[in-house]
């Protein structure tokens, strides 16, 4: 059996009286690309944010290599965060740093790498996403697609095991969606474990190893992409997929 | 004895120029260092106030945090809620009568201005931190930075840039309001003027002179701060590094060029 990197068990989360997650279970194995789809308000982003502890879940377990990060005190949070990277819809590049500094800061502060090593590593990944030439630019000088590629490089520079993508292309112009998706597709081919909340059904169909359809805080349907996207059983999923076309 | 207004001004400047100069230096010293230490106090207070409760924090630590928050709230309320002239009296004579500490006048002035400014700065800096997009905190936490690291390397640099105009205000207010500290005999500009004016009973002329000095000080300071703001914003253009054939090639893209290219694209 493949090695489980992230396993979610009966995860629940409420904001006040609004029960956003009502018991989520799923596993992501090493090298898997899990695409999480669903209409807005279904809890996709909250699920991702819980996995990265940007939100504190109310109940359930988040297992990282079998260890529950919510209760197991032996899991170091900075280490966990470095190993589980996150790419945001709104990019969130550090506004006070240029492109290179954005990719260097985390390595030095969190992983304790030297400046020279961090810079070398950062340039390697910036090269990979095609942004090395812009190393001196400030975030506000970049387009959305460029920013998102820098964010991916920044995340990769931390040598993560898993990357969480929270609607990485939703804030982008249609022309720029392609450049970000192709970077993500390359990552998937290299065997990076990825959890992707997305509305890009084409990407899910082509790249995902597992598709999870969420509806009203539960997983309504999950399985291989051909099965879930090609032959939906759930009524909600059918109407959701129709609306995506 | 001079007979005209300007004659008197010239005469007084000649007579008391040294006094005015030393007063100006003291005023600048206590205003600058008071603003600086006030800024540091405000910074620490603001950081403590924005600490969130991490997972599994013990009851003791929670209590400690609550106590710290209460003390901070009291501090801010008290020092923003009473006049600095009264604070000066209470602290200076209080420590003399009940603690037996005879503070150096200038040190006492710096202490009072620092504490007073700190209370305002705490609110200004908190405002600056709140103004930073929540995504910046999240991104920093998501790559594993601690609260302290997030604050010092991501949030505060941006927050401080945003609040620089308010900090400048505080500095200007301190240059002027340090004059109230003459009540505890600090030899700042106003105190020196008082003794100069008394000798010849030339109140208008002397206070006209120090009004000009205060004005020049505040205008200069605001100009310097504008310059610092510009400097912090950095250049508007950036450099594209390297090319396929020549790794030393650099292409400078300025804001104007960028706009021009955008226009060309849009007209296509």
């Amino acid at each position: 059996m493949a090695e489980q990197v992230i396993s979610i068990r009966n995860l629940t989360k409420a904001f006040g009286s609004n029960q956003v997650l009502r018991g989520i279970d799923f596993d992501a194995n090493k090298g898997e690309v899990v695409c999480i789809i669903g209409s807005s308000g279904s809890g996709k982003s909250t699920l991702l944010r819980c996995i990265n502890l940007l939100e504190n879940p109310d109940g359930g377990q988040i297992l990282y290599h079998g260890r529950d990060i919510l209760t197991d005190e032996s899991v170091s949070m900075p280490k966990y965060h470095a190993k589980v990277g996150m790419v945001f819809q709104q990019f969130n590049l550090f506004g006070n740093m240029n492109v290179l500094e954005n990719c260097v800061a985390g390595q030095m502060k969190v992983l304790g790498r030297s400046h020279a090593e961090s810079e070398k590593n950062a340039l390697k990944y910036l090269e990979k996403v095609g942004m090395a030439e812009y190393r001196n630019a400030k975030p506000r000088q970049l387009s959305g697609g460029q920013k998102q590629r820098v964010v991916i490089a920044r995340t990769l520079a931390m040598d993560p095991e898993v990357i969480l993508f929270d609607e990485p292309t939703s804030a982008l112009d249609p022309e720029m969606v392609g450049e970000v998706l192709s970077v993500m597709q390359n990552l998937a081919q290299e065997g990076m474990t990825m959890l992707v909340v997305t509305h890009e059904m084409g990407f899910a169909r082509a790249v995902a190893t597992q598709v999870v359809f969420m509806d009203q805080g539960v997983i309504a349907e999950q399985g291989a992409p051909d099965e879930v996207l090609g032959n939906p059983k759930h009524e909600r999923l059918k109407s959701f997929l129709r609306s995506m076309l | 004895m001079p007979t005209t207004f300007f004659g008197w001004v010239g005469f007084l400047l000649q007579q008391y120029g040294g006094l005015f100069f030393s007063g100006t230096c003291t005023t600048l010293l206590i205003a600058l260092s008071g603003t600086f230490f006030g800024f540091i106090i405000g910074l620490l207070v603001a950081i403590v106030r924005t600490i969130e409760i991490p997972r599994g924090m013990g009851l003791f630590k929670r209590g400690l945090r609550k106590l710290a928050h209460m003390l901070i709230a009291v501090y801010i309320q008290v020092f923003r809620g009473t006049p600095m002239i009264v604070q000066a009296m209470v602290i200076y004579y209080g420590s003399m009568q009940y603690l037996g500490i005879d503070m150096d006048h200038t040190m006492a002035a710096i202490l009072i201005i620092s504490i007073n400014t700190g209370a305002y700065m705490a609110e200004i800096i908190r405002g600056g931190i709140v103004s930073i997009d929540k995504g910046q905190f999240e991104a920093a936490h998501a790559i594993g930075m601690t609260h302290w690291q997030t604050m010092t390397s991501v949030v505060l640099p941006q927050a401080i840039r945003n609040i620089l105009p308010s900090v400048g205000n505080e500095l200007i207010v301190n240059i002027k309001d340090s004059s109230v500290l003459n009540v505890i005999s600090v030899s700042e500009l106003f105190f020196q003027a008082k003794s100069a004016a008394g000798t010849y009973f030339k109140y208008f002329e002397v206070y006209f002179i120090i009004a000009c000095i205060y004005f020049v000080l505040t205008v200069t300071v605001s100009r310097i701060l504008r310059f610092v703001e510009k400097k912090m914003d950095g250049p508007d253009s950036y450099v594209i590094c390297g090319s396929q054939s020549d790794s030393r090639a650099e292409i400078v893209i300025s804001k104007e060029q960028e706009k021009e290219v955008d226009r060309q694209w849009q007209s296509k």
Side-chain angles (χ1 to χ4, degrees):
Chain A
M1 196 180 123
E3 187 188 353
Q4 285 176 356
V5 182
I6 297 272
S7 304
I8 308 296
R9 294 282 173 269
N10 197 26
L11 197 74
T12 56
K13 172 72 186 175
F15 293 110
S17 60
N18 182 16
Q19 191 71 38
V20 182
L21 299 178
R22 303 163 187 269
I24 303 287
D25 289 271
F26 78 86
D27 299 308
N29 295 331
K30 201 167 182 56
E32 251 197 309
V33 178
V34 182
C35 279
I36 303 167
I37 59 173
S39 46
S40 36
S42 59
K44 315 174 299 274
S45 287
T46 306
L47 171 61
L48 226 52
R49 292 168 61 83
C50 279
I51 295 175
N52 209 5
L53 293 180
L54 290 174
E55 308 285 352
N56 268 322
D58 297 333
Q61 293 177 307
I62 298 169
L63 302 169
Y64 172 65
H65 289 289
R67 291 199 291 173
D68 184 7
I69 58 159
L70 297 176
T71 54
D72 194 335
E73 293 286 336
S74 68
V75 186
S76 136
M77 274 305 114
K79 287 262 169 57
Y80 174 75
H81 278 129
K83 282 290 164 201
V84 180
M86 180 135 180
V87 174
F88 299 86
Q89 181 180 353
Q90 293 302 335
F91 326 122
N92 298 339
L93 279 173
F94 302 137
N96 56 322
M97 305 178 191
N98 68 24
V99 165
L100 186 60
E101 288 161 348
N102 257 283
C103 301
V104 166
Q107 297 184 68
M108 289 178 68
K109 305 255 174 210
V110 180
L111 304 177
R113 289 182 183 152
S114 72
H115 188 264
E117 191 192 354
S118 304
E119 214 160 70
K120 202 174 132 213
N121 207 26
L123 281 173
K124 183 174 91 188
Y125 289 112
L126 282 171
E127 195 74 54
K128 185 173 179 153
V129 299
M131 288 299 293
E133 299 118 73
Y134 293 89
R135 72 189 76 143
N136 289 326
K138 282 282 178 98
R140 63 191 148 90
Q141 294 162 325
L142 302 177
S143 72
Q146 291 174 324
K147 281 186 210 170
Q148 200 60 296
R149 285 187 283 153
V150 174
V151 172
I152 292 174
R154 177 175 76 180
T155 310
L156 287 172
M158 303 294 289
D159 295 330
E161 229 184 317
V162 188
I163 302 182
L164 312 173
F165 291 86
D166 187 6
E167 304 200 27
T169 57
S170 298
L172 299 181
D173 290 344
E175 291 166 74
M176 295 168 182
V177 170
E179 63 186 71
V180 172
L181 287 182
S182 77
V183 167
M184 290 168 62
Q185 191 157 9
N186 287 341
L187 282 181
Q189 274 159 8
E190 288 166 20
M192 177 63 73
T193 312
M194 294 161 45
L195 303 185
V196 187
V197 168
T198 186
H199 292 294
E200 297 293 329
M201 292 305 139
F203 176 81
R205 205 182 290 269
V207 182
T209 55
Q210 191 187 152
V211 174
V212 170
F213 173 67
M214 284 183 65
D215 184 42
Q216 292 173 351
V218 294
I219 292 178
E221 208 163 323
Q222 88 189 96
D226 293 342
E227 203 180 303
V228 176
L229 300 176
N231 185 20
K233 295 174 190 64
H234 206 275
E235 201 46 53
R236 291 279 304 180
L237 177 54
K238 280 181 194 166
S239 68
F240 173 75
L241 289 176
R242 267 199 303 277
S243 73
M244 293 307 290
L245 295 175
Chain B
M1 286 287 121
T3 48
T4 59
F5 169 72
F6 288 106
W8 269 108
V9 168
F11 176 74
L12 288 166
L13 275 176
Q14 217 169 32
Q15 203 82 339
Y16 295 111
L19 210 59
F20 290 140
F21 181 73
S22 77
T24 305
C25 289
T26 311
T27 290
L28 267 184
L29 172 74
I30 57 184
L32 282 172
S33 47
T35 309
F36 175 76
F37 290 121
F39 183 78
I40 302 291
I41 294 174
L43 210 57
L44 293 175
V45 166
I47 291 179
V48 170
R49 286 219 283 182
T50 54
I51 293 176
E52 280 177 30
I53 308 172
R55 121 196 114 116
M57 200 189 213
L59 210 62
F60 176 71
K61 272 190 172 170
R62 266 171 200 274
L64 211 64
R65 183 173 164 276
K66 194 127 202 195
L67 186 73
H69 278 220
M70 260 171 53
L71 288 176
I72 287 169
V74 168
Y75 162 63
I76 292 174
Q77 285 305 329
V78 167
F79 281 88
R80 283 200 315 175
T82 54
M84 188 160 76
I85 192 168
V86 178
Q87 293 163 15
M89 292 301 225
V90 169
I91 293 177
Y92 184 71
Y93 290 108
S95 62
M96 196 190 302
Q97 289 174 13
Y98 289 95
L99 302 174
I101 306 169
D102 188 9
M103 273 187 280
D104 174 65
H105 295 293
T106 310
M107 288 308 284
I110 291 173
L111 177 77
I112 288 155
I113 292 201
S114 303
I115 299 175
N116 184 278
T117 307
Y120 287 93
M121 286 288 191
E123 287 295 283
I124 292 172
I125 293 168
R126 191 173 66 94
I129 293 172
V130 170
S131 76
I132 300 302
D133 183 38
K134 208 166 159 252
Q136 299 280 312
F137 289 87
E138 292 183 346
H141 284 165
I143 58 172
M145 287 192 193
T146 60
H147 182 72
W148 178 255
Q149 288 169 335
T150 304
M151 277 294 166
T152 51
S153 55
V154 176
V155 176
L156 287 177
Q158 299 181 60
I160 288 171
R161 165 62 192 91
N162 290 352
I163 62 168
L164 222 52
S166 308
V167 174
N169 267 349
E170 280 300 305
L171 179 54
I172 285 168
V173 165
N174 281 343
I175 289 176
K176 297 182 299 174
D177 285 6
S178 58
S179 59
V180 306
L181 295 171
N182 77 82
V183 295
I184 56 167
S185 313
V186 181
S187 54
E188 42 71 47
L189 189 53
F190 184 83
F191 184 82
Q192 303 291 49
K194 239 183 6 180
S195 42
T199 327
Y200 296 97
F201 297 106
K202 286 291 164 193
Y203 292 100
F204 176 63
E205 287 78 357
V206 167
Y207 289 117
F208 178 79
I209 291 169
I210 67 162
C212 292
I213 297 177
Y214 277 120
F215 184 71
V216 168
L217 287 184
T218 51
V219 168
T220 313
V221 161
S222 40
R223 280 296 144 89
I224 292 173
L225 280 163
R226 262 316 283 150
F227 177 74
V228 172
E229 273 175 49
K230 278 228 168 98
K231 203 92 197 155
M232 273 180 95
D233 285 341
D236 276 342
S237 45
Y238 61 95
V239 170
I240 291 186
C241 302
S243 80
Q244 299 274 314
S245 49
D246 179 7
S247 64
R248 287 165 305 161
E250 290 187 339
I251 307 155
V252 180
I253 310 280
S254 74
K255 267 263 161 68
E256 291 71 38
Q257 276 172 314
E258 223 171 48
K259 277 185 201 136
E260 185 57 37
V261 172
D262 278 348
R263 254 199 304 282
Q264 282 170 6
W265 266 102
Q266 268 149 24
S267 61
K268 262 180 198 169

